[in-house]
Amino acid sequence: METNIQTVEPVIIAGLNTGQEDFDYSMVELAELAQANHMEVIDRIDQVIDRPNPATYFGKGKVEEIRDVADANHIPTIITNDELSPSQLRNLEEGTGCRILDRTALILEIFATRAQSKEAKLQVQIAELQYRLPRLQTSASERLDQQTGGGSGFTNRGAGETKLEMDRRTIQHQISHLRQELADIDKSEQTKRKQRAKSAIPTAALVGYTNAGKSTIMNGLVRRYGAAEEKTVFEKNMLFATLDTSVRQLTLPDQKRFLLSDTVGFVSKLPTHLVESFKSTLAEAANADLLIQVIDYSDPHYKEMMETTNETLKQIGITDIPMINVFNKADKTEIEFPILEGDDQVVISAKQDASLDLLVDVIKKHLFKDYVTTTLLIPFTDGHIVSYLNEHTNILETKYESNGTLLTVEMSVQDYQRLGKYEKN
Ligand SMILES: Nc1nc2c(ncn2[C@@H]2O[C@H](COP(=O)(O)OP(=O)(O)OP(=O)(O)O)[C@@H](O)[C@H]2O)c(=O)[nH]1
Ligand SMILES: [Mg+2]
């Protein structure tokens, strides 16, 4: 739920530049992620260094600098550009006196606030618990007890460890419980998917970086080609607007039908646990006949974004589905559009009808490539077959003969197999 009155938390973002090419871009993106989490970035602190300090991530002097800047500006939270090890996180918290949120925890927070469906909520909860598990620690007072000893240090440490063990076990228990719940939901989703597969309607899945325009394309196509009951989906200029998968059926003017799915977008350094948890959401893409990768062509970093998308797809095991590239938001560039490049690339704007038409042409070429065009003679006594053909196939020509209706039809292989007996030789 979004409310208008939102308290905005001031934060500092901090990153280690170890010479990686995309450092600046990843820091800009980190700021955007913070904004998406209702935070205001007050300052950015970088450190150029060969490798992270194993104990504190930043070097000693930098930790002090961060503490001073945070102190001077009354900033309670620091966000780091990389995921930190449990001990780095703890030491940095102690060294700066601030709450430390690493990139992974930030993304998890965003996902947790955005998750709407039961499935997405479970997926995020599992990923959060997995993130927390190795970061559990004895409380500060317990650690103090251990250090000061208090005469019976051994016993105290023993008690602390037991509490920690207990917390771990509780979390592990919760994880397996949530996994089971998710598996039950998955089962019903799988059944739905199987039903769709049986109906032999080809499917295409929109994939790509977050904020590229996937949902906008989905809505553009639903408005043009969806039946009245097919609802539009949420689209917004913010990272991770979509977390759930939506599937819509589209019927083109030539009666060709296909299912289109819209799903969660990707971002660089997407936490592994999150990718793992979202596998079932992404199953829709894994089972598609065609992937439509949407790219924000107006973003100077679109190439890195494509790379991240391709890498993430590989990571979740989606490797051999044909893919078309949609270079979107061309209206925000100087580039001419809509244009078709080769068989599998288009430059378009999701907000322009001519663009959507061009995209549909390309989708059609892929999804319906083994459609058959043939001529059928349907006896007048089989009027229901003519009605079926009218509704489900593309009728190119109709002639009435003395012994029945002669139709030149373009149709799916499945229909051809069933109705081939009417074929006119
Ligand atoms: N100018 C312009 N804006 C676009 C175009 N396509 C999408 N947008 C805008 O880009 C923003 C993000 O669009 P979405 O469709 O929500 O993006 P998404 O890929 O679904 O993003 P996530 O759900 O976060 O993964 C919205 O503000 C859209 O209005 C386009 O072709 N041109
Ligand atoms: Mg979306």
Side-chain angles (χ1 to χ4, degrees):
M1 266 289 163
E2 274 214 297
T3 49
N4 291 330
I5 317 152
Q6 195 94 40
T7 43
V8 174
E9 182 182 350
V11 296
I12 296 173
I13 58 170
L16 275 193
N17 183 352
T18 51
Q20 63 274 45
E21 215 174 279
D22 57 356
F23 175 74
D24 260 311
Y25 153 62
S26 71
M27 286 300 283
V28 170
E29 190 174 76
L30 189 67
E32 279 172 23
L33 286 167
Q35 276 157 24
N37 200 33
H38 302 293
M39 292 165 152
E40 190 193 354
V41 178
I42 305 291
D43 206 346
R44 164 180 160 176
I45 298 177
D46 297 357
Q47 180 170 31
V48 182
I49 198 168
D50 284 344
R51 72 183 84 87
N53 180 313
T56 50
Y57 184 67
F58 294 102
K60 191 164 171 279
K62 214 34 136 183
V63 175
E64 282 162 13
E65 181 188 332
I66 294 172
R67 185 197 58 207
D68 293 346
V69 176
D71 262 359
N73 298 284
H74 308 287
I75 295 170
T77 306
I78 315 290
I79 299 175
T80 64
N81 195 24
D82 286 303
E83 186 174 317
L84 303 186
S85 75
S87 61
Q88 285 172 338
L89 193 76
R90 199 167 51 230
N91 293 334
L92 205 53
E93 265 181 358
E94 275 166 15
T96 58
C98 293
R99 172 170 87 118
I100 306 289
L101 206 58
D102 65 17
R103 191 186 184 95
T104 301
L106 174 63
I107 294 176
L108 286 172
E109 273 195 6
I110 300 172
F111 270 62
T113 354
R114 299 282 158 77
Q116 296 280 336
S117 71
K118 181 85 186 147
E119 191 178 18
K121 282 183 185 152
L122 286 171
Q123 286 165 335
V124 177
Q125 271 176 304
I126 293 171
E128 275 182 333
L129 289 173
Q130 282 175 322
Y131 173 82
R132 266 179 54 199
L133 196 56
R135 291 172 178 79
L136 283 180
Q137 47 179 296
T138 41
S139 70
S141 64
E142 276 163 348
R143 261 180 285 135
L144 203 67
D145 272 356
Q146 287 167 23
Q147 281 159 19
T148 51
S152 58
F154 182 77
T155 327
N156 273 338
R157 184 161 59 218
E161 275 175 5
T162 313
K163 165 104 178 26
L164 190 61
E165 291 288 329
M166 237 165 58
D167 289 349
R168 282 208 185 108
R169 256 205 312 280
T170 312
I171 290 198
Q172 266 155 353
H173 205 76
Q174 276 175 308
I175 292 177
S176 57
H177 180 79
L178 293 172
R179 280 218 178 107
Q180 187 52 50
E181 245 184 282
L182 190 60
D184 293 343
I185 298 183
D186 281 352
K187 240 180 253 156
S188 74
E189 284 301 318
Q190 269 170 18
T191 319
K192 273 193 228 156
R193 261 201 301 281
K194 270 199 197 120
Q195 277 163 357
R196 286 200 287 267
K198 235 195 259 157
S199 71
I201 301 182
T203 62
L206 293 158
V207 295
Y209 217 75
T210 179
N211 215 38
K214 298 178 292 298
S215 300
T216 309
I217 289 180
M218 171 87 149
N219 287 341
L221 293 177
V222 167
R223 280 187 202 104
R224 278 168 89 72
Y225 303 117
E229 71 271 14
E230 299 284 327
K231 294 195 179 61
T232 53
V233 298
F234 181 58
E235 55 177 77
K236 198 179 171 187
N237 187 19
M238 70 178 173
L239 305 187
F240 302 119
T242 307
L243 288 190
D244 291 311
T245 300
S246 311
V247 182
R248 300 288 183 268
Q249 179 169 322
L250 305 175
T251 307
L252 302 174
D254 59 7
Q255 304 298 346
K256 290 195 180 79
R257 276 158 217 231
F258 67 99
L259 296 171
L260 184 66
S261 69
D262 177 30
T263 188
V264 58
F266 303 144
V267 76
S268 68
K269 306 186 202 177
L270 199 60
T272 331
H273 292 318
L274 207 49
V275 173
E276 208 37 55
S277 307
F278 269 74
K279 261 189 184 163
S280 60
T281 293
L282 291 159
E284 214 61 58
N287 290 297
D289 301 293
L290 177 71
L291 297 182
I292 303 169
Q293 178 173 175
V294 184
I295 300 135
D296 180 351
Y297 206 17
S298 71
D299 192 301
H301 298 289
Y302 77 90
K303 280 194 182 139
E304 285 101 320
M305 294 170 162
M306 287 177 79
E307 236 167 74
T308 301
T309 301
N310 294 331
E311 275 304 307
T312 314
L313 287 171
K314 224 191 276 168
Q315 215 181 328
I316 50 180
I318 302 183
T319 47
D320 44 35
I321 302 176
M323 180 154 78
I324 58 178
N325 288 331
V326 176
F327 293 96
N328 189 34
K329 305 198 190 181
D331 56 303
K332 289 170 79 181
T333 72
E334 300 291 300
I335 299 153
E336 204 186 314
F337 72 97
I339 348 173
L340 173 66
E341 293 176 342
D343 287 338
D344 46 19
Q345 279 193 186
V346 282
V347 181
I348 64 157
S349 163
K351 304 205 167 177
Q352 185 207 45
D353 285 349
S355 283
L356 293 173
D357 285 342
L358 180 68
L359 173 60
V360 164
D361 279 344
V362 179
I363 295 174
K364 263 165 54 170
K365 263 185 218 140
H366 281 82
L367 284 185
F368 306 105
K369 61 176 179 305
D370 40 41
Y371 264 44
V372 193
T373 302
T374 186
T375 303
L376 307 175
L377 179 65
I378 316 291
F380 291 121
T381 47
D382 287 350
H384 63 286
I385 300 286
V386 177
S387 324
Y388 176 85
L389 292 170
N390 265 316
E391 265 177 49
H392 293 90
T393 68
N394 183 21
I395 299 184
L396 304 170
E397 201 183 354
T398 309
K399 274 190 207 153
Y400 299 97
E401 308 236 312
S402 58
N403 49 351
T405 317
L406 192 66
L407 300 164
T408 304
V409 180
E410 186 192 16
M411 60 189 176
S412 70
V413 177
Q414 286 88 348
D415 277 338
Y416 180 68
Q417 278 163 353
R418 279 193 309 122
L419 302 168
K421 62 180 178 198
Y422 293 106
E423 195 168 22
K424 187 171 182 343
N425 303 313

